Amino acid sequence: MSIELHHPQIGAFLGDPSEHSHIVSFYACDAALVDNVVAYLAAGLRAGEPVIVIATPAHREAIAGALDAVGLPPTVDRGVTMLDAHDTLADLLVDGEVDATRFAARIGDLIDQALRRSGARRVRAYGEMVDLLWRGGHEDAALALEELWNDLSRRSSFALLCAYVAADVRDVEALRAICDTHSHTICDVTAAGSREVVERIARIIAHELRNPLAMMMMTADYIDRATDDGKVARAARRIITSGDRIDRLIADVLALAEVDLMPPAANDEAPVDR
Amino acid sequence: MIPPKLVFVVDDEPGFCDTLQDLLEDEGYEVRTAMDGSRALALLRALDRQPCIILSDLLMPILDGHGLYQAVRADPALAKIPFLFMSTDPSRAPAGEPAIRKPVDVDAILAAVKRY
């Protein structure tokens, strides 16, 4: 798992994602979402990469308008494919589960065709089907769909951006499960409603740091107990002392993150499209 | 001859299980390990005798500590095995169950295991 908090350079990061990136963005309002998606898609279109958008009608309209406004009208000739997230998801479901064969046939073919038609090195995709599943309470199905995207990424060349409504990801375990299926996590700490997500991400980072630290300190403790060599024992105890300091620093950074995150910006923007 | 007491360790951090296994074996325990709750549950059901305690992490892939705890408590053959949770955030352990904070105090773990 790789977690990256990008502020305020989210747009620059999304403009040039690394090969086979599978990025998740947590958003609190549609305007922030559209800004990020358009930064990601526009850079791809300018680089000659085909673009696939699988989104709700309101988001497709907003994304199309924003692309148009930056001189990139989302036309088929330009390599833009826009699909409805509800309809596409419905095509993939069998007995309420996302069917791997249908996914490979529908989405895999879509990406392959886009690559063939354009001659480009890769496709940029943006998808909201996972968010629809998650919001509908089908969290396991959402994570299974993320893994299907990951499987496809091993066979096909595309970058993928997913977005989840920040408020719908309610606890650390859920957030970690989502982050674990992605290569990068981004969260705009200035966006209203994102503060809680950033705090949860900080707690995950603390967990990810403390687990290997715990292993190192326990192993040093074991060496201290097992050895008859005074020098080795003293070296082991120095590791433990330094580990204690790191542990206290993690606690301090966590406490700081809880009080020192930017306060939510005043926000009269439209809520998320549900 | 009485076999040594069996301790079951569940943790997804590479090396954590190994070191804890070495520590406990040096104290005379037999140790089994698993790196997620799902594997732990399968191994527990396959054992020919029950561990005296399960030492488990909370945040793990596939099946986390809470899921393992619920599955063990729901299985009549395993339900009475005591747990000790080891976590970077012990406040998230199942209510009423003992938990210690990571990085762990080895003496606290050994003292807890000796009680069972």
Side-chain angles (χ1 to χ4, degrees), chain A residues 141-170:
Chain A
L143 296 174
L145 180 53
E146 296 284 18
E147 290 297 353
L148 289 177
W149 279 106
N150 287 334
D151 289 344
L152 187 61
S153 174
R154 286 186 268 276
R155 305 191 299 273
S156 196
S157 185
F158 62 90
L160 174 63
L161 172 64
C162 304
Y164 288 76
V165 177
D168 287 345
V169 184
R170 297 204 174 277

PDB file of all heavy atoms in Angstrom, chain A residues 141-170:
ATOM      1  N   ALA A 141     -18.234  -6.242  -2.809  1.00  0.00           N
ATOM      2  CA  ALA A 141     -18.305  -6.229  -4.276  1.00  0.00           C
ATOM      3  C   ALA A 141     -17.447  -5.098  -4.837  1.00  0.00           C
ATOM      4  O   ALA A 141     -16.788  -5.262  -5.883  1.00  0.00           O
ATOM      5  CB  ALA A 141     -19.751  -6.083  -4.741  1.00  0.00           C
ATOM      6  N   ALA A 142     -17.440  -3.955  -4.147  1.00  0.00           N
ATOM      7  CA  ALA A 142     -16.606  -2.828  -4.603  1.00  0.00           C
ATOM      8  C   ALA A 142     -15.125  -3.218  -4.580  1.00  0.00           C
ATOM      9  O   ALA A 142     -14.387  -2.966  -5.542  1.00  0.00           O
ATOM     10  CB  ALA A 142     -16.846  -1.598  -3.719  1.00  0.00           C
ATOM     11  N   LEU A 143     -14.708  -3.856  -3.492  1.00  0.00           N
ATOM     12  CA  LEU A 143     -13.295  -4.255  -3.382  1.00  0.00           C
ATOM     13  C   LEU A 143     -12.957  -5.343  -4.399  1.00  0.00           C
ATOM     14  O   LEU A 143     -11.855  -5.363  -4.961  1.00  0.00           O
ATOM     15  CB  LEU A 143     -12.990  -4.733  -1.955  1.00  0.00           C
ATOM     16  CG  LEU A 143     -13.139  -3.657  -0.869  1.00  0.00           C
ATOM     17  CD1 LEU A 143     -12.950  -4.258   0.519  1.00  0.00           C
ATOM     18  CD2 LEU A 143     -12.152  -2.511  -1.087  1.00  0.00           C
ATOM     19  N   ALA A 144     -13.924  -6.242  -4.656  1.00  0.00           N
ATOM     20  CA  ALA A 144     -13.698  -7.283  -5.670  1.00  0.00           C
ATOM     21  C   ALA A 144     -13.542  -6.648  -7.049  1.00  0.00           C
ATOM     22  O   ALA A 144     -12.695  -7.076  -7.855  1.00  0.00           O
ATOM     23  CB  ALA A 144     -14.866  -8.276  -5.659  1.00  0.00           C
ATOM     24  N   LEU A 145     -14.341  -5.615  -7.324  1.00  0.00           N
ATOM     25  CA  LEU A 145     -14.218  -4.923  -8.612  1.00  0.00           C
ATOM     26  C   LEU A 145     -12.862  -4.213  -8.715  1.00  0.00           C
ATOM     27  O   LEU A 145     -12.228  -4.212  -9.783  1.00  0.00           O
ATOM     28  CB  LEU A 145     -15.371  -3.924  -8.782  1.00  0.00           C
ATOM     29  CG  LEU A 145     -15.394  -3.113 -10.080  1.00  0.00           C
ATOM     30  CD1 LEU A 145     -15.316  -4.006 -11.309  1.00  0.00           C
ATOM     31  CD2 LEU A 145     -16.659  -2.245 -10.149  1.00  0.00           C
ATOM     32  N   GLU A 146     -12.401  -3.626  -7.614  1.00  0.00           N
ATOM     33  CA  GLU A 146     -11.062  -3.007  -7.622  1.00  0.00           C
ATOM     34  C   GLU A 146     -10.005  -4.052  -7.998  1.00  0.00           C
ATOM     35  O   GLU A 146      -9.080  -3.761  -8.762  1.00  0.00           O
ATOM     36  CB  GLU A 146     -10.727  -2.411  -6.246  1.00  0.00           C
ATOM     37  CG  GLU A 146     -11.619  -1.267  -5.799  1.00  0.00           C
ATOM     38  CD  GLU A 146     -11.304   0.053  -6.492  1.00  0.00           C
ATOM     39  OE1 GLU A 146     -10.641   0.042  -7.550  1.00  0.00           O
ATOM     40  OE2 GLU A 146     -11.754   1.098  -5.987  1.00  0.00           O
ATOM     41  N   GLU A 147     -10.141  -5.257  -7.439  1.00  0.00           N
ATOM     42  CA  GLU A 147      -9.146  -6.302  -7.741  1.00  0.00           C
ATOM     43  C   GLU A 147      -9.236  -6.743  -9.205  1.00  0.00           C
ATOM     44  O   GLU A 147      -8.224  -7.105  -9.804  1.00  0.00           O
ATOM     45  CB  GLU A 147      -9.330  -7.508  -6.804  1.00  0.00           C
ATOM     46  CG  GLU A 147      -8.935  -7.226  -5.362  1.00  0.00           C
ATOM     47  CD  GLU A 147      -7.458  -6.878  -5.169  1.00  0.00           C
ATOM     48  OE1 GLU A 147      -6.674  -6.984  -6.131  1.00  0.00           O
ATOM     49  OE2 GLU A 147      -7.098  -6.479  -4.052  1.00  0.00           O
ATOM     50  N   LEU A 148     -10.437  -6.723  -9.779  1.00  0.00           N
ATOM     51  CA  LEU A 148     -10.560  -7.041 -11.204  1.00  0.00           C
ATOM     52  C   LEU A 148      -9.826  -5.999 -12.050  1.00  0.00           C
ATOM     53  O   LEU A 148      -9.177  -6.336 -13.043  1.00  0.00           O
ATOM     54  CB  LEU A 148     -12.038  -7.130 -11.610  1.00  0.00           C
ATOM     55  CG  LEU A 148     -12.805  -8.344 -11.072  1.00  0.00           C
ATOM     56  CD1 LEU A 148     -14.276  -8.276 -11.490  1.00  0.00           C
ATOM     57  CD2 LEU A 148     -12.186  -9.647 -11.575  1.00  0.00           C
ATOM     58  N   TRP A 149      -9.963  -4.729 -11.654  1.00  0.00           N
ATOM     59  CA  TRP A 149      -9.198  -3.678 -12.346  1.00  0.00           C
ATOM     60  C   TRP A 149      -7.704  -3.959 -12.218  1.00  0.00           C
ATOM     61  O   TRP A 149      -6.939  -3.804 -13.186  1.00  0.00           O
ATOM     62  CB  TRP A 149      -9.513  -2.298 -11.759  1.00  0.00           C
ATOM     63  CG  TRP A 149     -10.768  -1.644 -12.237  1.00  0.00           C
ATOM     64  CD1 TRP A 149     -11.934  -1.491 -11.549  1.00  0.00           C
ATOM     65  CD2 TRP A 149     -10.989  -1.007 -13.516  1.00  0.00           C
ATOM     66  NE1 TRP A 149     -12.867  -0.818 -12.305  1.00  0.00           N
ATOM     67  CE2 TRP A 149     -12.315  -0.500 -13.511  1.00  0.00           C
ATOM     68  CE3 TRP A 149     -10.204  -0.822 -14.651  1.00  0.00           C
ATOM     69  CZ2 TRP A 149     -12.858   0.179 -14.607  1.00  0.00           C
ATOM     70  CZ3 TRP A 149     -10.755  -0.143 -15.743  1.00  0.00           C
ATOM     71  CH2 TRP A 149     -12.061   0.343 -15.707  1.00  0.00           C
ATOM     72  N   ASN A 150      -7.262  -4.360 -11.015  1.00  0.00           N
ATOM     73  CA  ASN A 150      -5.825  -4.649 -10.813  1.00  0.00           C
ATOM     74  C   ASN A 150      -5.382  -5.821 -11.680  1.00  0.00           C
ATOM     75  O   ASN A 150      -4.288  -5.794 -12.259  1.00  0.00           O
ATOM     76  CB  ASN A 150      -5.542  -4.948  -9.333  1.00  0.00           C
ATOM     77  CG  ASN A 150      -5.605  -3.695  -8.476  1.00  0.00           C
ATOM     78  OD1 ASN A 150      -5.384  -2.595  -8.970  1.00  0.00           O
ATOM     79  ND2 ASN A 150      -5.900  -3.855  -7.199  1.00  0.00           N
ATOM     80  N   ASP A 151      -6.206  -6.850 -11.759  1.00  0.00           N
ATOM     81  CA  ASP A 151      -5.870  -8.001 -12.616  1.00  0.00           C
ATOM     82  C   ASP A 151      -5.727  -7.540 -14.071  1.00  0.00           C
ATOM     83  O   ASP A 151      -4.796  -7.933 -14.778  1.00  0.00           O
ATOM     84  CB  ASP A 151      -6.961  -9.078 -12.535  1.00  0.00           C
ATOM     85  CG  ASP A 151      -6.959  -9.783 -11.193  1.00  0.00           C
ATOM     86  OD1 ASP A 151      -5.952  -9.663 -10.461  1.00  0.00           O
ATOM     87  OD2 ASP A 151      -7.966 -10.442 -10.873  1.00  0.00           O
ATOM     88  N   LEU A 152      -6.680  -6.717 -14.509  1.00  0.00           N
ATOM     89  CA  LEU A 152      -6.657  -6.232 -15.892  1.00  0.00           C
ATOM     90  C   LEU A 152      -5.417  -5.370 -16.140  1.00  0.00           C
ATOM     91  O   LEU A 152      -4.818  -5.418 -17.225  1.00  0.00           O
ATOM     92  CB  LEU A 152      -7.935  -5.428 -16.159  1.00  0.00           C
ATOM     93  CG  LEU A 152      -8.182  -4.978 -17.596  1.00  0.00           C
ATOM     94  CD1 LEU A 152      -8.293  -6.181 -18.529  1.00  0.00           C
ATOM     95  CD2 LEU A 152      -9.457  -4.133 -17.681  1.00  0.00           C
ATOM     96  N   SER A 153      -5.019  -4.622 -15.127  1.00  0.00           N
ATOM     97  CA  SER A 153      -3.857  -3.739 -15.261  1.00  0.00           C
ATOM     98  C   SER A 153      -2.572  -4.529 -15.516  1.00  0.00           C
ATOM     99  O   SER A 153      -1.633  -4.002 -16.118  1.00  0.00           O
ATOM    100  CB  SER A 153      -3.706  -2.902 -13.988  1.00  0.00           C
ATOM    101  OG  SER A 153      -2.537  -2.143 -14.035  1.00  0.00           O
ATOM    102  N   ARG A 154      -2.544  -5.779 -15.050  1.00  0.00           N
ATOM    103  CA  ARG A 154      -1.348  -6.598 -15.288  1.00  0.00           C
ATOM    104  C   ARG A 154      -1.266  -7.070 -16.738  1.00  0.00           C
ATOM    105  O   ARG A 154      -0.215  -7.480 -17.201  1.00  0.00           O
ATOM    106  CB  ARG A 154      -1.345  -7.806 -14.326  1.00  0.00           C
ATOM    107  CG  ARG A 154      -1.001  -7.421 -12.890  1.00  0.00           C
ATOM    108  CD  ARG A 154      -0.863  -8.639 -11.995  1.00  0.00           C
ATOM    109  NE  ARG A 154      -2.103  -8.982 -11.335  1.00  0.00           N
ATOM    110  CZ  ARG A 154      -2.547  -8.430 -10.212  1.00  0.00           C
ATOM    111  NH1 ARG A 154      -1.848  -7.491  -9.630  1.00  0.00           N
ATOM    112  NH2 ARG A 154      -3.686  -8.799  -9.680  1.00  0.00           N
ATOM    113  N   ARG A 155      -2.409  -7.009 -17.439  1.00  0.00           N
ATOM    114  CA  ARG A 155      -2.423  -7.479 -18.830  1.00  0.00           C
ATOM    115  C   ARG A 155      -2.561  -6.348 -19.835  1.00  0.00           C
ATOM    116  O   ARG A 155      -2.373  -6.553 -21.034  1.00  0.00           O
ATOM    117  CB  ARG A 155      -3.612  -8.442 -19.052  1.00  0.00           C
ATOM    118  CG  ARG A 155      -3.680  -9.618 -18.124  1.00  0.00           C
ATOM    119  CD  ARG A 155      -4.711 -10.625 -18.601  1.00  0.00           C
ATOM    120  NE  ARG A 155      -6.054 -10.106 -18.671  1.00  0.00           N
ATOM    121  CZ  ARG A 155      -6.908 -10.096 -17.644  1.00  0.00           C
ATOM    122  NH1 ARG A 155      -6.528 -10.556 -16.468  1.00  0.00           N
ATOM    123  NH2 ARG A 155      -8.123  -9.622 -17.774  1.00  0.00           N
ATOM    124  N   SER A 156      -2.935  -5.181 -19.373  1.00  0.00           N
ATOM    125  CA  SER A 156      -3.255  -4.098 -20.294  1.00  0.00           C
ATOM    126  C   SER A 156      -2.653  -2.803 -19.778  1.00  0.00           C
ATOM    127  O   SER A 156      -2.381  -2.671 -18.580  1.00  0.00           O
ATOM    128  CB  SER A 156      -4.781  -3.990 -20.407  1.00  0.00           C
ATOM    129  OG  SER A 156      -5.133  -3.243 -21.521  1.00  0.00           O
ATOM    130  N   SER A 157      -2.457  -1.859 -20.669  1.00  0.00           N
ATOM    131  CA  SER A 157      -1.750  -0.640 -20.290  1.00  0.00           C
ATOM    132  C   SER A 157      -2.724   0.510 -20.081  1.00  0.00           C
ATOM    133  O   SER A 157      -3.230   1.090 -21.035  1.00  0.00           O
ATOM    134  CB  SER A 157      -0.733  -0.283 -21.380  1.00  0.00           C
ATOM    135  OG  SER A 157       0.020   0.823 -20.981  1.00  0.00           O
ATOM    136  N   PHE A 158      -2.972   0.824 -18.820  1.00  0.00           N
ATOM    137  CA  PHE A 158      -3.838   1.968 -18.515  1.00  0.00           C
ATOM    138  C   PHE A 158      -3.535   2.474 -17.110  1.00  0.00           C
ATOM    139  O   PHE A 158      -3.021   1.737 -16.260  1.00  0.00           O
ATOM    140  CB  PHE A 158      -5.325   1.606 -18.625  1.00  0.00           C
ATOM    141  CG  PHE A 158      -5.787   0.544 -17.658  1.00  0.00           C
ATOM    142  CD1 PHE A 158      -6.275   0.877 -16.407  1.00  0.00           C
ATOM    143  CD2 PHE A 158      -5.741  -0.799 -18.012  1.00  0.00           C
ATOM    144  CE1 PHE A 158      -6.696  -0.095 -15.519  1.00  0.00           C
ATOM    145  CE2 PHE A 158      -6.155  -1.788 -17.130  1.00  0.00           C
ATOM    146  CZ  PHE A 158      -6.642  -1.436 -15.876  1.00  0.00           C
ATOM    147  N   ALA A 159      -3.831   3.754 -16.918  1.00  0.00           N
ATOM    148  CA  ALA A 159      -3.850   4.323 -15.564  1.00  0.00           C
ATOM    149  C   ALA A 159      -5.311   4.469 -15.182  1.00  0.00           C
ATOM    150  O   ALA A 159      -6.158   4.694 -16.043  1.00  0.00           O
ATOM    151  CB  ALA A 159      -3.148   5.669 -15.554  1.00  0.00           C
ATOM    152  N   LEU A 160      -5.603   4.305 -13.914  1.00  0.00           N
ATOM    153  CA  LEU A 160      -6.996   4.339 -13.457  1.00  0.00           C
ATOM    154  C   LEU A 160      -7.119   5.253 -12.248  1.00  0.00           C
ATOM    155  O   LEU A 160      -6.329   5.162 -11.304  1.00  0.00           O
ATOM    156  CB  LEU A 160      -7.453   2.920 -13.090  1.00  0.00           C
ATOM    157  CG  LEU A 160      -8.839   2.781 -12.462  1.00  0.00           C
ATOM    158  CD1 LEU A 160      -9.941   3.234 -13.423  1.00  0.00           C
ATOM    159  CD2 LEU A 160      -9.091   1.331 -12.038  1.00  0.00           C
ATOM    160  N   LEU A 161      -8.111   6.115 -12.320  1.00  0.00           N
ATOM    161  CA  LEU A 161      -8.451   6.959 -11.167  1.00  0.00           C
ATOM    162  C   LEU A 161      -9.832   6.566 -10.680  1.00  0.00           C
ATOM    163  O   LEU A 161     -10.784   6.488 -11.467  1.00  0.00           O
ATOM    164  CB  LEU A 161      -8.445   8.443 -11.576  1.00  0.00           C
ATOM    165  CG  LEU A 161      -8.964   9.449 -10.540  1.00  0.00           C
ATOM    166  CD1 LEU A 161      -8.085   9.467  -9.288  1.00  0.00           C
ATOM    167  CD2 LEU A 161      -9.035  10.854 -11.147  1.00  0.00           C
ATOM    168  N   CYS A 162      -9.950   6.275  -9.394  1.00  0.00           N
ATOM    169  CA  CYS A 162     -11.243   5.983  -8.770  1.00  0.00           C
ATOM    170  C   CYS A 162     -11.539   7.097  -7.769  1.00  0.00           C
ATOM    171  O   CYS A 162     -10.624   7.760  -7.288  1.00  0.00           O
ATOM    172  CB  CYS A 162     -11.199   4.667  -7.992  1.00  0.00           C
ATOM    173  SG  CYS A 162     -10.678   3.252  -8.963  1.00  0.00           S
ATOM    174  N   ALA A 163     -12.791   7.267  -7.429  1.00  0.00           N
ATOM    175  CA  ALA A 163     -13.135   8.272  -6.421  1.00  0.00           C
ATOM    176  C   ALA A 163     -14.218   7.718  -5.505  1.00  0.00           C
ATOM    177  O   ALA A 163     -15.132   7.028  -5.964  1.00  0.00           O
ATOM    178  CB  ALA A 163     -13.614   9.547  -7.097  1.00  0.00           C
ATOM    179  N   TYR A 164     -14.066   7.988  -4.246  1.00  0.00           N
ATOM    180  CA  TYR A 164     -15.070   7.593  -3.259  1.00  0.00           C
ATOM    181  C   TYR A 164     -15.521   8.835  -2.501  1.00  0.00           C
ATOM    182  O   TYR A 164     -14.694   9.716  -2.204  1.00  0.00           O
ATOM    183  CB  TYR A 164     -14.492   6.616  -2.235  1.00  0.00           C
ATOM    184  CG  TYR A 164     -14.229   5.216  -2.745  1.00  0.00           C
ATOM    185  CD1 TYR A 164     -13.133   4.937  -3.544  1.00  0.00           C
ATOM    186  CD2 TYR A 164     -15.068   4.161  -2.394  1.00  0.00           C
ATOM    187  CE1 TYR A 164     -12.878   3.646  -3.990  1.00  0.00           C
ATOM    188  CE2 TYR A 164     -14.820   2.870  -2.832  1.00  0.00           C
ATOM    189  CZ  TYR A 164     -13.722   2.618  -3.635  1.00  0.00           C
ATOM    190  OH  TYR A 164     -13.477   1.340  -4.075  1.00  0.00           O
ATOM    191  N   VAL A 165     -16.789   8.875  -2.146  1.00  0.00           N
ATOM    192  CA  VAL A 165     -17.276   9.957  -1.306  1.00  0.00           C
ATOM    193  C   VAL A 165     -16.656   9.792   0.084  1.00  0.00           C
ATOM    194  O   VAL A 165     -16.799   8.733   0.712  1.00  0.00           O
ATOM    195  CB  VAL A 165     -18.820   9.932  -1.200  1.00  0.00           C
ATOM    196  CG1 VAL A 165     -19.299  11.025  -0.250  1.00  0.00           C
ATOM    197  CG2 VAL A 165     -19.441  10.102  -2.572  1.00  0.00           C
ATOM    198  N   ALA A 166     -15.937  10.827   0.532  1.00  0.00           N
ATOM    199  CA  ALA A 166     -15.179  10.712   1.789  1.00  0.00           C
ATOM    200  C   ALA A 166     -16.077  10.306   2.955  1.00  0.00           C
ATOM    201  O   ALA A 166     -15.716   9.452   3.764  1.00  0.00           O
ATOM    202  CB  ALA A 166     -14.480  12.036   2.086  1.00  0.00           C
ATOM    203  N   ALA A 167     -17.256  10.898   3.012  1.00  0.00           N
ATOM    204  CA  ALA A 167     -18.120  10.648   4.171  1.00  0.00           C
ATOM    205  C   ALA A 167     -18.639   9.218   4.225  1.00  0.00           C
ATOM    206  O   ALA A 167     -19.111   8.765   5.274  1.00  0.00           O
ATOM    207  CB  ALA A 167     -19.297  11.630   4.147  1.00  0.00           C
ATOM    208  N   ASP A 168     -18.589   8.500   3.101  1.00  0.00           N
ATOM    209  CA  ASP A 168     -19.110   7.126   3.082  1.00  0.00           C
ATOM    210  C   ASP A 168     -18.099   6.102   3.578  1.00  0.00           C
ATOM    211  O   ASP A 168     -18.433   4.933   3.753  1.00  0.00           O
ATOM    212  CB  ASP A 168     -19.537   6.746   1.654  1.00  0.00           C
ATOM    213  CG  ASP A 168     -20.818   7.459   1.244  1.00  0.00           C
ATOM    214  OD1 ASP A 168     -21.504   7.989   2.139  1.00  0.00           O
ATOM    215  OD2 ASP A 168     -21.111   7.498   0.032  1.00  0.00           O
ATOM    216  N   VAL A 169     -16.861   6.544   3.766  1.00  0.00           N
ATOM    217  CA  VAL A 169     -15.818   5.620   4.250  1.00  0.00           C
ATOM    218  C   VAL A 169     -15.636   5.913   5.730  1.00  0.00           C
ATOM    219  O   VAL A 169     -14.928   6.816   6.123  1.00  0.00           O
ATOM    220  CB  VAL A 169     -14.505   5.824   3.470  1.00  0.00           C
ATOM    221  CG1 VAL A 169     -13.463   4.807   3.903  1.00  0.00           C
ATOM    222  CG2 VAL A 169     -14.754   5.708   1.977  1.00  0.00           C
ATOM    223  N   ARG A 170     -16.324   5.129   6.561  1.00  0.00           N
ATOM    224  CA  ARG A 170     -16.557   5.573   7.928  1.00  0.00           C
ATOM    225  C   ARG A 170     -15.549   5.112   8.964  1.00  0.00           C
ATOM    226  O   ARG A 170     -15.540   5.632  10.069  1.00  0.00           O
ATOM    227  CB  ARG A 170     -17.971   5.146   8.374  1.00  0.00           C
ATOM    228  CG  ARG A 170     -19.035   5.789   7.535  1.00  0.00           C
ATOM    229  CD  ARG A 170     -20.362   5.879   8.250  1.00  0.00           C
ATOM    230  NE  ARG A 170     -21.303   6.641   7.452  1.00  0.00           N
ATOM    231  CZ  ARG A 170     -21.362   7.969   7.434  1.00  0.00           C
ATOM    232  NH1 ARG A 170     -20.550   8.665   8.185  1.00  0.00           N
ATOM    233  NH2 ARG A 170     -22.231   8.599   6.667  1.00  0.00           N
TER     234      ARG A 170
END
